[in-house]
Amino acid sequence: MKRLLLSSFLCMGILFSVSAQKAAPAIPSDPRIEANIATWLQKMTLDEKIGQMCEITIDVITDFPASKDGCRLSEAMLDTVIGKYKVGSILNVPLSVAQKKEKWAELIKQIQDKSMKEIGIPCIYGVDQIHGTTYTLDGTLFPQSINIAASFNRELARKSAEVSAYETKAGCIPWTYAPVMDLGRDPRWPRMWESFGEDCYVNAEMAVQMVKAFQGTDPNHIGENNVAACIKHFMGYGVPVSGKDRTPSSISKADLREKHFAPFLASLKAGTLSLMVNSGVDNGLPFHANKELLTGWVKEDLNWDGMIVTDWADINNLCVRDHIAATKKEAVKIAINAGIDMSMVPYEVSFCTYLKELVEEGEVSMSRIDDAVARVLRLKYRLGLFENPYWDSKKYDKFASPEFAQAALQAAEESEVLLKNEDNLLPLAKGKKILLTGPNANSMRCLNGGWSYSWQGDKADEHAQAYHTIYEALCNKYGKENVIYEPGVTYKTGGKNLWWEENEPQIDKAVSAAANADVIIACIGENSYCETPGNLTDLNLSIHQKNLVKALAETGKPILLVLNEGRPRIINDIVPLAKAIVHIMLPSNYGADALANLLAGDANFSGKLPFTYPHLINSLATYDYKTCENMGQMGGNYNYDAVMDTQWPFGFGMSYTTYRYSHLKVNQSSFKADDEMVFTVDVTNTGKVAGKESVLLYSSDLVASTAPDNIRLRNFEKVDLQPGETKTVTMKLKGSDLAFVGYDGKWRLEEGDFKMRCGDQVLDIRCDETKVWETPNR
């Protein structure tokens, strides 16, 4: 009896310990929703449950060829997909091109009517609206995420997602696969422009703003102007060893926890409703098979009850690509048991057949099925789809409004970065004769990049004709009679239309035209691409474009380079030839108007690089490098000779005015983990024009038990200053914000000295007490 009592007490103690350590729910539970889910789980058949876990692309249920009225759905395939297999989600864009909101509403109503009739459960439709309403015609496109990061303005991130949610909802679409928060730490990676750059703090801050704006204030009750966010791609996607899309990474557990997980952690705590998984493989294990990360880090450690969805065909890839499963059926078992809730199949329903067999064979438990289905149903209830599977798109009368256009223009203006301005070439006075050249000078496709009207962005010139290319914007600003357009180099169109292919250059024509110009504006960079088609083998800018700039430099006319690219391309040999350089990245439909305003001085540059721009092809680096990467030449017989060599550093960006930093202070110079430090710094506009300055606060841990990063961004604020005006900027940090993940995988803040930097100001602070966290997150 004593042994039994002792055993009971021990069990109670273990349960109490587990309960005490369990994190508070990332999203508060709604009892009404949970009761409804329980009722459904009791009455659903196994076929119905498994169907809810399956997501099919709209191509499967589309009648081909399209009618004169566009996309139409196949009743026969709807009967199969929804009627027979009870599929719970449809995704993607019909006919591979953006649709009007009225067409979206028509298609989704048809799908929902079928789903409610056959299953009694609404379908959930998802689309990649990653920079505004990228798949809804006539909607507002915002600059790509790399531009939003360059603005260092949280409000612009919030506004872009708020507008995107409203206009997405106008088409009866309730779910968007955004934001993207993979760290863009390797410029070879073709999806760098989808990220918020290389820094985990910037990614976390911008992503949280977007999640909250997409979803509104209550994640249990998504409003009529809001959508569910789907944060992606979990995680480490942006650092493949080869630099190529969907190829393996090799990330240390410390970096995975401290940096790559950081924006996902912040977004999950902010209440994001769904998460999409990285297609890749890390240290030999595909993320779609990693139970430690999917179930452990996300669901258990954070007590998060949202839904995890695969990326495109990635369960099948465990078999056909990664070879960790001998059959597709075994791949389904591995992924579902690892924690996947919904499979983006996307072309077949065999997933349903395989998963049913696995349950019947005892290879996947009913408890795992019920957990996954509960998460799918919970998302649908939170979106209010049971009550309103679709709605009236006509009530969204602010769709494509001037207010939204102005927000997109502001985002573009604040994101374009001035990198060089010798002899004050800029602002460019009106009345000058301009030679406009380069392959990016007259293209909406180049301004928008991928995920713009079509997957590769190749339909942008067709569908964005209402907006201005750089050529059109400069004609509007400076007068068409003052703009000579001679591209010299152009991209190929038609055929395979590989994004990087160029026509035979006509550089001589551009050189001849320069004789009649006062200044040359060369718009160079990349054509649009997305995902794997954007892989490249040489990070150098194309030889034709470089030769164009070199030939034009021989004319002696001053050159302004406009860099229009989704990732930094190596241009070290032409940088000295330019008097001025502006990096506009991918500013979207209003990006050319923003550029014209900035070049004319009607707006002031305030963007800063959210990544390190490399100087040499084999000298790729990030700003938070280890100090041993920048040692210079060592003494003695061994020449270490490691030198950090960059074209432009992270956080660099010029303005038409100047700023002075002074009086960097902190409320306490010694601290412990739980202390809040309040930093203040005075910033003065010492120039003659108004401007906005992004104030960046950095820390350096001087000595640590594992080699510390050289420097880390810890906070930022953007301040608007009139000439001569001074403002005090306040930024807060907790002591725990300066912790790092040690070699043992534990978070630790160690006693010792730190240097804080803001502008040219430096401040010493000291941690008085070491703390090591036994919990997975601080």
Side-chain angles (χ1 to χ4, degrees), residues 638-674:
Y638 179 64
N639 182 9
Y640 195 88
D641 194 22
V643 178
M644 190 58 57
D645 188 1
T646 62
Q647 191 74 60
W648 293 287
F650 173 93
F652 181 78
M654 301 171 68
S655 168
Y656 291 144
T657 190
T658 53
Y659 301 98
R660 183 180 68 244
Y661 287 69
S662 60
H663 305 113
L664 177 61
K665 298 177 182 178
V666 65
N667 64 327
Q668 56 185 91
S669 58
S670 60
F671 66 94
K672 296 180 175 60
D674 293 331

Side-chain angles (χ1 to χ4, degrees), residues 671-687:
F671 66 94
K672 296 180 175 60
D674 293 331
D675 291 339
E676 181 180 76
M677 291 173 283
V678 181
F679 293 86
T680 58
V681 65
D682 291 343
V683 184
T684 303
N685 182 344
T686 55

Side-chain angles (χ1 to χ4, degrees), residues 190-191 194 237 245-246 451 455-456 529-535:
R191 305 189 74 169
E194 294 183 52
Y237 189 10
D245 187 45
R246 287 174 165 85
W451 298 119
W455 177 41
Q456 294 297 309
Y529 54 83
C530 192
E531 300 188 59
T532 302
N535 286 341

Side-chain angles (χ1 to χ4, degrees), residues 81-203:
V81 169
I82 294 178
K84 179 179 180 181
Y85 287 95
K86 317 300 181 186
V87 166
S89 182
I90 307 293
L91 83 152
N92 216 3
V93 58
L95 308 177
S96 300
V97 68
Q99 303 291 313
K100 286 187 175 291
K101 68 181 189 301
E102 293 81 8
K103 173 57 75 171
W104 274 121
E106 172 195 326
L107 296 173
I108 289 173
K109 179 181 185 301
Q110 188 176 353
I111 291 168
Q112 294 290 37
D113 284 343
K114 187 71 173 182
S115 190
M116 296 304 289
K117 176 184 176 182
E118 296 289 343
I119 318 171
I121 297 173
C123 181
I124 182 169
Y125 203 105
V127 176
D128 295 274
Q129 306 268 48
I130 72 163
H131 68 113
T133 38
T134 55
Y135 275 151
T136 307
L137 288 175
D138 305 321
T140 308
L141 271 62
F142 277 77
Q144 296 280 5
S145 291
I146 198 69
N147 287 72
I148 298 297
S151 76
F152 282 92
N153 188 336
R154 295 176 181 85
E155 174 63 19
L156 294 179
R158 184 199 63 78
K159 186 64 177 179
S160 69
E162 182 183 277
V163 172
S164 178
Y166 180 94
E167 294 191 341
T168 297
K169 209 64 175 285
C172 293
I173 302 169
W175 190 25
T176 184
Y177 304 131
V180 178
M181 58 190 70
D182 309 301
L183 305 188
R185 296 173 71 82
D186 187 334
R188 299 172 301 168
W189 183 53
R191 305 189 74 169
M192 184 173 179
W193 48 270
E194 294 183 52
S195 80
F196 297 109
E198 70 186 44
D199 179 64
C200 62
Y201 178 74
V202 174
N203 273 267

Side-chain angles (χ1 to χ4, degrees), residues 327-334 353-355 357-358 361:
T327 64
K328 290 183 179 181
K329 180 177 175 180
E330 184 184 1
V332 171
K333 180 181 84 169
I334 291 170
T353 303
Y354 293 145
L355 186 52
E357 291 173 0
L358 288 164
E361 293 163 3

